[in-house]
């Protein structure tokens, strides 16, 4: 059973200590170690299959453990306690529902059902849903439960929080009355059961003599407390994880649990699995050198006997569009070499980055799949904006009408919509034209919505397509709605990216400056095979483009396709070739992380995860300019690239003479000279795109210009890399030596000009 294990794996599997902490590096065979450990304990008679408990984070991982275990031993694993935290807690509560204060047939609410229950509570309790949106309440309740807090134990410091605590109490009473529990309640109720009932606790502490935990770095505080309670002082706790891959702090994961486990249990019994069976040496050397810059880690060093392999290829392009076009050409080359599309992954820090990449793949007719998420034009917030735009283009579009008539909420309920549907059917018209037949306040609200859309249509006659998209995002209330969501930042990024998409579309189709809503003759020469080409407004053309990209070139189930995903979604996966895109300061590491406690170290762990997904080839790309919020933003290369040894890298640079969007001819060479901003010096790469403000701006008697050194009272010394606006409205994008990228209003920033 253990003959095929390496020495470190064998040490972990056969560990005789009561407590062990296994630091399992990426690609080091941690699942193999966990399942072999379970099989070894059972086969050597140290524990029965039913005296062992193994917990992980996904049902997929739990099923894989069971499948491997039954493949090693002739046992019936169905009765074993192997599963996720939520699955095991559900099992515990089913067995002791009376002690847990639950009905025997209690039901579990998934996230969608929980939100619906909260909305129902808000309505029946006459709670102001504008001050207390259901999603915010849901997040508040789940966060409290994950900390082990009940309403009666929570600290209150203002009236708003008091109201949230009161709603939590009402929700708790509603769930108890209806006999339902949500996911967070499963864990909290199971923890309370064990902590308050000594008989139940002691029973399971006697039963489970060996507790094994997978992905230990992803545990939150309550999960760690539950494990400690279950283990007591007699069980053997075998924890496997990688603190260098802890990237879920935003979900409540506490990487400090690994250090706490070492301190409280393992007490020096740390086993490091450092031999990597996935990647070549250059990839691992890059990952090791990068992660060494994190101070809060237990420490390990990945190695392989597969050889050094190819160096990491890094390219810096002038724009994000050129970055995507280069990516497509490289993907074509890999496929032409005989590679499978599904062996190629394109990773990005933010979902909003996928739009440009998707467009390039779509244009090249390369099938792709967005793993663990939606394609850009299929995302909820994007479909909302498109629905408003479709109504502007065609007020009779009932599907779009129903999608956004009450989103964001504007007091139009289901009964009002039923009345509108009946009235429109009787009249024989579309919904928008039947609002006058609906009486009362509901009819008034409907009329106000229709007028809002008509006003958008009037604006469309005078402004460009990107300006119209921005206008709709703001006046529809979508921007304000997502600003109020605690996790709405990514949706806002996607809305901004839609403005970018409209800007790029206008440029590519020669619609720049044309009113979005006015029909124009086709700006490009008609296809000679088409006898007639109808005049179309920029808005109508853009909506057609969005529909085509949303519905065409989608990889069918099982089809060989390029894999697109965020780096968070890539954890646990591996690919022969990996592209990490947008590795620029302010984007990766993300500028929001620089102000968060431990944020930069988590961003570095995220980069570490991205690098270690690659088995054979790794490409890293960045752009000197990237379109954000409909405007060009200039960037410098990420600090992470400076933390990778030059010996692992091959810099790719375009041939200067062939530097155009049409060119796909590239040359490669060793690292080239860099300017003070970390970019290639002029001559080694094509000239940069023009900046938005080249002559500088005058604010309060000071003349600011790009490249100028400045000092800020809080952020310290930095360099201006972009300027926009004039006078008191002027803004500067500044890279600070210690604080990273910031955008400041020059009228209020109090900057001191320095040499």
């Amino acid at each position: 059973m253990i003959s095929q294990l390496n020495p470190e794996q064998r040490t972990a599997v056969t560990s005789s200590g009561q407590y062990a902490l296994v630091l399992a590096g990426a690609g080091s065979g941690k699942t193999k170690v966990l399942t072999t450990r379970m099989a070894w304990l059972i086969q050597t008679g140290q524990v029965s299959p039913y005296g062992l408990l193994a917990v992980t984070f996904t049902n997929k991982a739990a099923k894989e453990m069971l499948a491997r275990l039954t493949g090693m031993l002739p046992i019936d694993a169905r009765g074993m306690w192997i599963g996720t935290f939520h699955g095991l807690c559900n099992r515990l509560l089913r067995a002791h529902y009376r002690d847990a204060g639950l009905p025997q047939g209690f039901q579990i609410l998934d996230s969608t059902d929980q939100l619906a229950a909260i909305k129902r509570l808000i309505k029946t309790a006459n709670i102001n849903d504008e001050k207390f949106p259901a999603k915010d309440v849901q997040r508040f309740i789940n966060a409290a439960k994950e900390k082990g807090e009940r309403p009666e134990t929570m600290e209150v410091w203002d009236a708003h929080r008091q109201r949230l605590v009161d709603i939590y109490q009402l929700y708790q009473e509603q769930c108890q009355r209806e006999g339902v529990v949500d996911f967070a309640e499963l864990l909290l109720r199971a923890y309370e059961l064990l902590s308050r009932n000594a008989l139940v606790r002691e029973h399971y502490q006697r039963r489970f003599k060996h507790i094994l935990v997978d992905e230990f770095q992803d545990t939150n505080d309550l999960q760690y407390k539950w494990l400690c309670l279950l283990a007591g002082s007699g069980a053997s706790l075998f924890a496997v994880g990688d603190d260098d891959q802890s990237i879920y702090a935003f979900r409540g994961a506490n990487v400090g649990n690994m250090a706490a486990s070492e301190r409280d249990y393992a007490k020096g019994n740390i086993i490091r699995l450092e031999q990597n069976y996935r990647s070549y040496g250059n990839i691992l050397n890059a990952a090791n050198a990068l992660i060494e810059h994190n101070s809060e880690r237990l420490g390990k060093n990945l190695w392989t006997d597969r050889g050094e392999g190819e160096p990491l290829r890094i390219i810096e392009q002038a724009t994000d569009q050129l970055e995507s076009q280069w990516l497509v050409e490289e993907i074509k080359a890999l496929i032409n070499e005989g590679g499978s599309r599904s062996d190629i992954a394109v990773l990005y820090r933010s979902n909003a980055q996928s739009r440009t990449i998707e467009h390039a793949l779509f244009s090249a007719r390369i099938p792709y799949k967005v793993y663990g998420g939606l394609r850009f034009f299929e995302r909820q917030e994007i479909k909302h904006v498109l629905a408003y735009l479709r109504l502007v283009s065609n007020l009779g579009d009932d599907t779009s009408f129903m999608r956004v008539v009450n989103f964001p909420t504007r007091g139009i309920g289901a009964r009002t919509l039923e009345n509108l549907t009946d009235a429109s059917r009787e009249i024989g018209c579309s919904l928008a034209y039947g609002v006058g037949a609906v009486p009362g306040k509901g009819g008034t609200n409907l009329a106000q919505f229709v007028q809002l859309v008509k006003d958008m249509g009037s604006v469309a006659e005078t402004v460009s397509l990107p300006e119209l998209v921005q206008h709709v995002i703001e006046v529809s209330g979508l921007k304000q709605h997502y600003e109020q969501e605690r996790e709405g930042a990514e949706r806002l990024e996607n809305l901004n990216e839609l403005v970018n998409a409209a800007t790029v579309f206008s440029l590519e189709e020669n619609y720049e400056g044309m009113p979005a809503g006015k029909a124009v003759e086709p700006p490009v020469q008609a296809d000679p095979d088409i006898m007639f080409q109808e005049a179309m407004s920029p808005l109508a053309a853009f909506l057609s483009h969005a529909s085509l990209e949303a519905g065409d070139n989608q990889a069918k189930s099982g089809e060989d396709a390029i894999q697109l995903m965020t780096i968070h979604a890539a954890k646990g996966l591996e690919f022969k070739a990996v592209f990490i895109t947008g590795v620029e300061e302010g984007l990766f590491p993300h500028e929001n992380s620089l102000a968060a406690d431990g944020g930069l170290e988590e961003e570095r762990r995220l980069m570490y995860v991205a690098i270690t997904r690659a088995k054979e080839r790794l490409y890293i790309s960045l752009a000197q300019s990237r379109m954000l919020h409909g405007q060009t933003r200039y960037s410098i290369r990420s600090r992470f690239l400076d933390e990778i040894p030059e010996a692992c890298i091959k810099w790719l640079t375009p041939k200067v003479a062939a530097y155009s969007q049409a060119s796909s001819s590239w040359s490669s060479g060793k690292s080239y000279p860099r300017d003070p901003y970390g970019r290639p010096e002029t001559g080694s790469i094509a000239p940069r795109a023009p900046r938005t403000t080249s002559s500088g701006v005058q604010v309060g008697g000071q003349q600011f210009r790009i490249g100028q050194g400045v000092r800020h009272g809080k952020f310290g010394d930095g360099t201006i890399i972009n300027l926009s606006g004039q006078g008191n409205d002027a803004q500067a994008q500044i890279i600070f030596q210690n604080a990273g990228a910031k955008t400041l209003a020059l009228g209020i920033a109090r900057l001191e000009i320095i040499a």
Side-chain angles (χ1 to χ4, degrees), residues 381 384-389 392 404-410 449 452-453 456 468-482 495:
E381 59 276 15
H384 286 332
V385 180
L386 293 177
Y388 279 104
L389 292 171
V392 170
V404 295
V405 65
N406 198 41
F407 192 91
T409 55
R410 45 179 61 91
F449 171 72
L452 173 67
V453 175
M456 291 176 182
L468 174 64
V469 175
Q470 185 67 58
H471 176 77
V472 168
I473 289 171
E474 292 176 355
V475 302
S476 65
L478 289 171
K479 181 180 180 182
Q480 183 181 13
H481 172 81
Y482 291 121
L495 293 181

Side-chain angles (χ1 to χ4, degrees), residues 279-285 304-311 616 647-648:
S279 308
Y280 283 114
N282 278 324
I283 294 170
L284 299 181
N285 292 338
T304 183
D305 58 9
R306 297 185 66 194
E308 295 302 297
E310 299 184 28
E616 298 177 4
C648 303

Side-chain angles (χ1 to χ4, degrees), residues 237-485:
L237 185 61
F238 186 86
V240 181
D242 184 0
D243 56 335
D244 291 333
Q245 294 189 72
S246 180
I247 59 173
Y248 294 122
F250 65 95
R251 293 182 187 170
N254 182 4
V255 67
N257 286 344
M258 294 201 72
S261 172
E262 193 278 329
R263 181 184 64 248
D264 299 339
Y265 292 99
K267 300 184 186 302
N269 187 20
I270 298 180
I271 303 164
R272 290 173 168 82
L273 304 183
E274 298 175 304
Q275 183 173 359
N276 178 282
Y277 295 92
R278 174 189 300 162
S279 308
Y280 283 114
N282 278 324
I283 294 170
L284 299 181
N285 292 338
N288 289 331
L290 173 89
I291 204 64
E292 280 181 359
H293 288 78
N294 274 6
S295 58
E296 301 296 326
R297 59 190 296 261
L298 296 171
K300 65 183 179 310
N301 199 61
L302 298 178
W303 63 275
T304 183
D305 58 9
R306 297 185 66 194
E308 295 302 297
E310 299 184 28
L312 282 63
R313 293 167 168 85
I314 306 180
I315 189 166
E316 183 170 20
Q317 292 285 26
T319 68
D320 52 344
Q321 289 179 278
L322 288 174
E323 176 193 38
S324 296
Q325 289 166 10
W326 167 82
L327 184 148
V328 165
E329 295 303 322
E330 285 293 329
I331 286 174
K332 286 180 179 178
L334 290 172
I335 295 172
N336 290 337
E337 290 176 9
S340 168
R341 287 191 287 264
S342 58
D343 282 334
I344 303 171
V346 181
L347 311 183
Y348 34 81
R349 174 63 181 85
S350 167
N351 261 317
Q353 291 172 250
S354 79
R355 203 274 312 166
T356 305
I357 299 167
E358 286 187 54
H359 178 65
L361 291 169
F362 169 81
S363 301
R365 298 183 179 277
I366 299 176
Y368 67 91
K369 177 183 177 182
V370 178
Y371 181 92
L374 296 172
R375 297 156 67 98
F376 181 78
F377 285 109
E378 294 172 341
R379 292 167 190 162
Q380 178 205 85
E381 59 276 15
I382 300 302
K383 291 179 75 69
H384 286 332
V385 180
L386 293 177
Y388 279 104
L389 292 171
R390 288 192 174 98
L391 285 174
V392 170
S393 183
N394 174 19
L395 193 54
D397 184 341
D398 284 355
T399 301
S400 296
F401 185 95
M402 290 298 290
R403 183 179 185 91
V404 295
V405 65
N406 198 41
F407 192 91
T409 55
R410 45 179 61 91
I412 301 173
R415 186 61 180 271
T416 298
L417 292 175
E418 288 176 11
N419 293 338
L420 174 61
T421 302
D422 293 341
S424 299
R425 188 181 298 117
E426 285 184 18
I427 300 171
C429 65
S430 63
L431 296 175
Y433 296 105
V435 297
V438 180
K441 191 174 186 301
T444 301
N445 291 340
L446 284 169
Q448 289 175 347
F449 171 72
V450 171
Q451 188 58 50
L452 173 67
V453 175
K454 289 180 177 178
D455 291 342
M456 291 176 182
S458 298
V459 172
E461 297 294 313
T462 61
V463 302
S464 67
L465 177 62
E467 290 171 329
L468 174 64
V469 175
Q470 185 67 58
H471 176 77
V472 168
I473 289 171
E474 292 176 355
V475 302
S476 65
L478 289 171
K479 181 180 180 182
Q480 183 181 13
H481 172 81
Y482 291 121
E483 283 176 341
Q484 292 174 350
E485 283 194 353

Side-chain angles (χ1 to χ4, degrees), residues 355 359 376-377 382-383 385-390 393 464-470 472-473 494-509 511 516-517 520 536-550:
R355 203 274 312 166
H359 178 65
F376 181 78
F377 285 109
I382 300 302
K383 291 179 75 69
V385 180
L386 293 177
Y388 279 104
L389 292 171
R390 288 192 174 98
S393 183
S464 67
L465 177 62
E467 290 171 329
L468 174 64
V469 175
Q470 185 67 58
V472 168
I473 289 171
N494 287 335
L495 293 181
N496 289 326
E497 186 57 33
L498 184 61
V499 179
N500 296 344
T503 303
V504 172
F505 178 81
S506 295
L507 292 171
E508 289 180 344
E509 301 298 326
Y511 285 124
V520 294
M536 184 181 289
S537 70
L539 173 58
F542 179 65
L543 291 172
S544 297
H545 161 78
S547 297
L548 289 171
E549 285 215 13

Side-chain angles (χ1 to χ4, degrees), residues 13 118 187 195 332 498 519 582 601 611 651 715:
V13 166
I118 292 172
L187 184 60
S195 62
K332 286 180 179 178
L498 184 61
E601 294 216 347
I611 291 173
W651 282 89
F715 303 129

Side-chain angles (χ1 to χ4, degrees), residues 36 98 179 203 213 266 274 293 303 399-400 451 462 512 570 587 603 611 636 638 642 655 668 745:
T36 307
R98 287 194 184 92
H203 166 76
V213 190
E274 298 175 304
H293 288 78
W303 63 275
T399 301
S400 296
Q451 188 58 50
T462 61
E512 187 179 12
L587 185 58
E603 290 287 299
I611 291 173
I636 63 173
S638 169
D642 294 327
K655 292 180 179 178
S668 61

